[in-house]
Amino acid sequence: MFASYLIGLREGLEATLVVSILVAFLVKSDRRERLPLVWAGVGVAVALSVGFGALLTFTAAHLGSQQQELFDAITSLAATVFVTFMVFWMRTAARKMSGELRQKMGEALELGATAVVVVAFLSVAREGLETALLWFAAVQGATSSASPLIGITLGLLTAVALGWGLYRSALRINLTKFFTWTGLLLILVAAGIFKYGVHDLQESGLVPGLNTHAFDISGVLDPSAWYSTLLSGMFNITPQPSVLEAVAWVVYLVPVLILFLRRPSAKAPASPAPKSAQPAS
């Protein structure tokens, strides 16, 4: 449930920030009559995202056992790619997002109503499709209850509340720290999703070694305990992973964490030439 909540919160806040920037731009530009067009684009993007999630669920439910394992593996690997791209993209694009969105909306206002709807749709659709894919991949094999759906719903509602508070200047949060900490947690979630994708590839028969276990900590990590359910649902940590699963988890997590935590070194300003080297006037 917490993994789903985190996905909904992170992706939802990104989408909410995008919408708030577009709305604020129209309000400050005294173009309130265009606000329904923005909400129309947002509504279409949300409907597309929900439909995409339903399509993934429907497809998985109507496949054979081996085909379903392969389908789950593909969605898990795709989700890993998306979440990795997303956490790194937000670190570099968050600062200039506002200016770029305002520029696009300004150009759309000159082109007409359809362009405004398209800008709002494209700005939200990417986040929505990523949310549907990540959520589907995160809950595969974790639980058959409604907890993942409740978790992502609560995450999205929290994101909307935070976005509204930021828009109304009622809340002041450090977005850089927020996206850094949630990025770290999402990298751990993505490592678990990647591990589960490898597990599905082994269960589908495409990759060998399913019964070759790296270790067995079932005596320490009781599968029926609440903390085991939490670790399994959040990070896909299991008592008996295969060797390939464990290797995949480490091979993904270590380099991605290092790259994410590495801070770009600031370029030293060029020092002025010494007076003795300056040309005489």
Side-chain angles (χ1 to χ4, degrees):
M1 179 173 178
F2 184 71
S4 299
Y5 176 83
L6 178 64
I7 291 171
L9 176 62
R10 170 68 183 241
E11 294 285 343
L13 186 58
E14 288 184 31
T16 303
L17 289 175
V18 168
V19 174
S20 65
I21 290 170
L22 296 178
V23 171
F25 173 78
L26 291 178
V27 171
K28 292 180 179 180
S29 303
D30 199 21
R31 303 295 297 273
R32 292 176 180 268
E33 73 279 2
R34 297 295 188 181
L35 287 177
L37 299 175
V38 172
W39 296 120
V42 171
V44 174
V46 171
L48 177 65
S49 303
V50 173
F52 180 58
L55 177 63
L56 290 174
T57 305
F58 177 83
T59 302
H62 289 78
L63 293 174
S65 177
Q66 186 174 2
Q67 292 175 326
Q68 183 175 356
E69 297 295 344
L70 182 58
F71 180 77
D72 290 346
I74 293 173
T75 55
S76 296
L77 297 178
T80 304
V81 173
F82 276 118
V83 72
T84 306
F85 171 80
M86 180 259 294
V87 294
F88 282 99
W89 179 81
M90 278 304 298
R91 291 200 64 181
T92 58
R95 295 181 179 178
K96 56 183 181 180
M97 179 191 296
S98 178
E100 291 181 350
L101 286 173
R102 290 191 179 99
Q103 180 182 358
K104 291 179 181 178
M105 183 56 73
E107 296 172 352
L109 287 172
E110 297 178 0
L111 293 175
T114 304
V116 176
V117 175
V118 170
V119 169
F121 168 78
L122 293 178
S123 300
V124 178
R126 184 183 67 85
E127 308 297 342
L129 294 175
E130 283 184 0
T131 302
L133 180 61
L134 291 176
W135 178 76
F136 177 83
V139 302
Q140 292 305 300
T143 178
S144 58
S145 70
S147 296
L149 183 59
I150 295 173
I152 197 169
T153 301
L154 291 176
L156 291 172
L157 290 176
T158 304
V160 171
L162 288 173
W164 174 253
L166 289 170
Y167 174 75
R168 302 296 298 178
S169 299
L171 295 177
R172 298 290 181 183
I173 63 174
N174 189 320
L175 290 178
T176 300
K177 289 185 178 180
F178 174 84
F179 284 119
T180 297
W181 284 107
T182 55
L184 287 172
L185 288 174
L186 277 179
I187 288 173
L188 290 171
V189 172
I193 293 175
F194 183 60
K195 172 180 173 288
Y196 188 79
V198 172
H199 175 79
D200 279 336
L201 286 176
Q202 290 182 310
E203 286 199 332
S204 68
L206 290 180
V207 177
L210 178 62
N211 297 318
T212 305
H213 298 141
F215 50 82
D216 184 357
I217 56 174
S218 55
V220 179
L221 191 64
D222 183 6
S224 61
W226 65 269
Y227 52 84
S228 299
T229 304
L230 177 63
L231 290 174
S232 177
M234 183 66 185
F235 305 121
N236 198 28
I237 295 177
T238 53
Q240 289 181 309
S242 69
V243 173
L244 191 56
E245 286 180 72
V247 170
W249 192 83
V250 173
V251 166
Y252 172 85
L253 183 65
V254 173
V256 172
L257 271 181
I258 292 175
L259 290 174
F260 184 78
L261 295 173
R262 186 180 63 183
R263 297 181 180 274
S265 56
K267 294 182 179 180
S271 57
K275 293 184 178 180
S276 58
Q278 294 178 354
S281 54

